[in-house]
Amino acid sequence: MRGRYAEERLVAKLVSCGWIACRTPMSGGTAQVDVEAIKPSEKRLALVEVKSTLRNSLTVPLEALERMKRRYEGWYKHLLKEDWRVEYVLAVLWRAKGGKGSWVLKDVSEHVNKSRPVAIRREDSEWTWRP
């Protein structure tokens, strides 16, 4: 199960770190990307795929990553100058019973650029992407 709640919590977390972030209008199943964020002071654009799960592992299919890349190529490529950095990010809310949970943010740019699906486990809980 996943929904707007996880995306809204992530947006709040990014905003508190100085990002301008928002859920995309069609976030969820058919969206190209769930959350978009920019940090103009550092010239960074982050396209974020948000997942929320009670399970111990998760695989993000290649189609989801390709949608993120299409979003960048179709929507932002003409807007951004070469000195902007584009970051593809997977945000997973590992939920536990009782409503608590912890976030993991992972830089998946390499997976996107090499067209490889992403597999992540709950115990891989280090954050590899820093907002």
Side-chain angles (χ1 to χ4, degrees), residues 59 96 103:
T59 300
W103 281 103

Side-chain angles (χ1 to χ4, degrees), residues 31-35 46-49 60 62-74 86-90 108 112:
Q32 289 179 306
V33 64
D34 295 322
V35 172
L47 300 176
V48 187
E49 175 82 14
V60 180
L62 189 55
E63 302 84 60
L65 302 177
E66 287 173 342
R67 282 196 311 262
M68 292 169 73
K69 191 167 189 174
R70 280 198 305 273
R71 176 68 168 182
Y72 166 65
E73 289 172 347
V86 179
E87 300 166 20
Y88 299 102
V89 180
L90 170 63
V108 293
V112 172

Side-chain angles (χ1 to χ4, degrees), residues 83-101:
D83 54 354
W84 278 75
R85 192 167 74 228
V86 179
E87 300 166 20
Y88 299 102
V89 180
L90 170 63
V92 180
L93 177 59
W94 296 113
R95 292 185 300 138
K97 290 186 177 160
K100 297 193 187 304

